[in-house]
Short mmCIF file of all heavy atoms in Angstrom, two decimals:
data_model
loop_
_atom_site.label_atom_id
_atom_site.label_comp_id
_atom_site.label_asym_id
_atom_site.label_seq_id
_atom_site.Cartn_x
_atom_site.Cartn_y
_atom_site.Cartn_z
N VAL A 84 -18.69 0.18 17.90
CA VAL A 84 -17.34 0.55 18.32
C VAL A 84 -16.88 1.77 17.52
O VAL A 84 -17.37 2.03 16.41
CB VAL A 84 -16.33 -0.61 18.11
CG1 VAL A 84 -16.71 -1.82 18.97
CG2 VAL A 84 -16.26 -1.01 16.65
N VAL A 85 -15.94 2.47 18.09
CA VAL A 85 -15.25 3.56 17.40
C VAL A 85 -13.81 3.12 17.21
O VAL A 85 -13.14 2.75 18.18
CB VAL A 85 -15.33 4.88 18.16
CG1 VAL A 85 -14.46 5.95 17.49
CG2 VAL A 85 -16.78 5.36 18.25
N GLY A 86 -13.35 3.15 15.97
CA GLY A 86 -11.98 2.77 15.69
C GLY A 86 -11.12 3.98 15.36
O GLY A 86 -11.61 4.94 14.75
N GLU A 87 -9.87 3.92 15.74
CA GLU A 87 -8.95 5.03 15.45
C GLU A 87 -7.58 4.45 15.09
O GLU A 87 -7.04 3.61 15.80
CB GLU A 87 -8.84 5.97 16.63
CG GLU A 87 -8.03 7.21 16.33
CD GLU A 87 -8.16 8.26 17.42
OE1 GLU A 87 -8.98 8.07 18.34
OE2 GLU A 87 -7.45 9.26 17.35
N LEU A 88 -7.04 4.91 13.97
CA LEU A 88 -5.76 4.43 13.49
C LEU A 88 -4.60 5.02 14.27
O LEU A 88 -4.68 6.13 14.79
CB LEU A 88 -5.57 4.83 12.02
CG LEU A 88 -6.46 4.20 10.96
CD1 LEU A 88 -6.08 4.77 9.60
CD2 LEU A 88 -6.34 2.69 10.95
N ASP A 89 -3.50 4.27 14.32
CA ASP A 89 -2.20 4.84 14.63
C ASP A 89 -1.80 5.58 13.35
O ASP A 89 -1.27 5.02 12.41
CB ASP A 89 -1.21 3.72 14.95
CG ASP A 89 0.22 4.22 15.17
OD1 ASP A 89 0.54 5.35 14.73
OD2 ASP A 89 1.02 3.46 15.74
N TRP A 90 -2.10 6.89 13.35
CA TRP A 90 -1.99 7.65 12.12
C TRP A 90 -0.54 7.84 11.66
O TRP A 90 -0.26 7.85 10.45
CB TRP A 90 -2.67 9.01 12.25
CG TRP A 90 -2.62 9.81 10.99
CD1 TRP A 90 -1.94 10.98 10.79
CD2 TRP A 90 -3.23 9.49 9.76
NE1 TRP A 90 -2.12 11.41 9.49
CE2 TRP A 90 -2.90 10.51 8.83
CE3 TRP A 90 -4.04 8.44 9.31
CZ2 TRP A 90 -3.33 10.51 7.50
CZ3 TRP A 90 -4.49 8.42 8.00
CH2 TRP A 90 -4.14 9.44 7.11
N GLU A 91 0.38 7.99 12.59
CA GLU A 91 1.78 8.15 12.20
C GLU A 91 2.29 6.96 11.41
O GLU A 91 2.97 7.10 10.40
CB GLU A 91 2.64 8.38 13.45
CG GLU A 91 4.09 8.67 13.14
CD GLU A 91 4.89 9.01 14.38
OE1 GLU A 91 4.30 9.28 15.44
OE2 GLU A 91 6.15 8.97 14.31
N ARG A 92 1.91 5.76 11.87
CA ARG A 92 2.29 4.53 11.17
C ARG A 92 1.62 4.46 9.80
O ARG A 92 2.28 4.19 8.78
CB ARG A 92 1.91 3.34 12.03
CG ARG A 92 2.11 1.97 11.38
CD ARG A 92 1.52 0.88 12.29
NE ARG A 92 1.45 -0.41 11.67
CZ ARG A 92 2.40 -1.33 11.75
NH1 ARG A 92 3.51 -1.08 12.43
NH2 ARG A 92 2.27 -2.50 11.16
N ARG A 93 0.31 4.69 9.73
CA ARG A 93 -0.41 4.63 8.46
C ARG A 93 0.15 5.64 7.47
O ARG A 93 0.36 5.35 6.30
CB ARG A 93 -1.90 4.87 8.68
CG ARG A 93 -2.65 5.40 7.46
CD ARG A 93 -2.67 4.39 6.29
NE ARG A 93 -3.73 3.46 6.52
CZ ARG A 93 -5.01 3.71 6.26
NH1 ARG A 93 -5.38 4.89 5.76
NH2 ARG A 93 -5.92 2.79 6.50
N ARG A 94 0.37 6.89 7.94
CA ARG A 94 0.86 7.93 7.07
C ARG A 94 2.22 7.54 6.47
O ARG A 94 2.47 7.77 5.28
CB ARG A 94 0.99 9.23 7.88
CG ARG A 94 1.55 10.39 7.11
CD ARG A 94 0.59 10.94 6.10
NE ARG A 94 1.09 12.16 5.51
CZ ARG A 94 0.55 12.72 4.44
NH1 ARG A 94 -0.49 12.21 3.87
NH2 ARG A 94 1.07 13.85 3.95
N ALA A 95 3.06 6.94 7.28
CA ALA A 95 4.36 6.47 6.77
C ALA A 95 4.16 5.42 5.69
O ALA A 95 4.84 5.46 4.64
CB ALA A 95 5.21 5.91 7.91
N HIS A 96 3.25 4.49 5.89
CA HIS A 96 3.00 3.47 4.88
C HIS A 96 2.48 4.07 3.60
O HIS A 96 2.82 3.64 2.50
CB HIS A 96 1.98 2.43 5.41
CG HIS A 96 2.50 1.61 6.53
ND1 HIS A 96 1.66 0.88 7.36
CD2 HIS A 96 3.76 1.40 6.99
CE1 HIS A 96 2.41 0.25 8.25
NE2 HIS A 96 3.66 0.52 8.05
N MET A 97 1.61 5.08 3.69
CA MET A 97 1.08 5.76 2.51
C MET A 97 2.20 6.41 1.71
O MET A 97 2.24 6.33 0.47
CB MET A 97 0.03 6.80 2.93
CG MET A 97 -1.25 6.21 3.47
SD MET A 97 -2.27 7.41 4.37
CE MET A 97 -2.64 8.61 3.11
N ARG A 98 3.10 7.08 2.40
CA ARG A 98 4.22 7.75 1.73
C ARG A 98 5.14 6.75 1.06
O ARG A 98 5.55 6.91 -0.09
CB ARG A 98 4.98 8.62 2.73
CG ARG A 98 4.17 9.77 3.31
CD ARG A 98 4.88 10.41 4.47
NE ARG A 98 6.08 11.13 4.03
CZ ARG A 98 7.07 11.45 4.86
NH1 ARG A 98 7.01 11.10 6.16
NH2 ARG A 98 8.12 12.10 4.41
N TYR A 99 5.50 5.68 1.80
CA TYR A 99 6.40 4.68 1.24
C TYR A 99 5.76 3.92 0.07
O TYR A 99 6.43 3.61 -0.93
CB TYR A 99 6.87 3.70 2.32
CG TYR A 99 8.11 4.16 3.02
CD1 TYR A 99 8.04 4.72 4.30
CD2 TYR A 99 9.36 4.05 2.44
CE1 TYR A 99 9.19 5.16 4.96
CE2 TYR A 99 10.50 4.48 3.08
CZ TYR A 99 10.42 5.03 4.35
OH TYR A 99 11.56 5.47 4.98
N HIS A 100 4.47 3.64 0.18
CA HIS A 100 3.82 2.88 -0.90
C HIS A 100 3.75 3.71 -2.18
O HIS A 100 3.99 3.21 -3.28
CB HIS A 100 2.42 2.41 -0.47
CG HIS A 100 1.99 1.16 -1.17
ND1 HIS A 100 1.11 0.27 -0.61
CD2 HIS A 100 2.30 0.65 -2.38
CE1 HIS A 100 0.91 -0.73 -1.44
NE2 HIS A 100 1.63 -0.51 -2.54
N THR A 101 3.44 5.00 -2.03
CA THR A 101 3.40 5.86 -3.20
C THR A 101 4.80 6.01 -3.79
O THR A 101 4.98 6.02 -5.02
CB THR A 101 2.82 7.24 -2.84
OG1 THR A 101 1.58 7.05 -2.14
CG2 THR A 101 2.56 8.07 -4.09
N ALA A 102 5.81 6.13 -2.95
CA ALA A 102 7.19 6.22 -3.42
C ALA A 102 7.59 4.96 -4.18
O ALA A 102 8.29 5.02 -5.20
CB ALA A 102 8.14 6.44 -2.24
#
Side-chain angles (χ1 to χ4, degrees):
V84 297
V85 173
E87 187 168 353
L88 292 179
D89 175 341
W90 181 246
E91 184 175 345
R92 174 187 170 93
R93 156 65 82 80
R94 177 73 173 168
H96 293 163
M97 291 164 62
R98 296 169 68 200
Y99 271 103
H100 208 152
T101 309

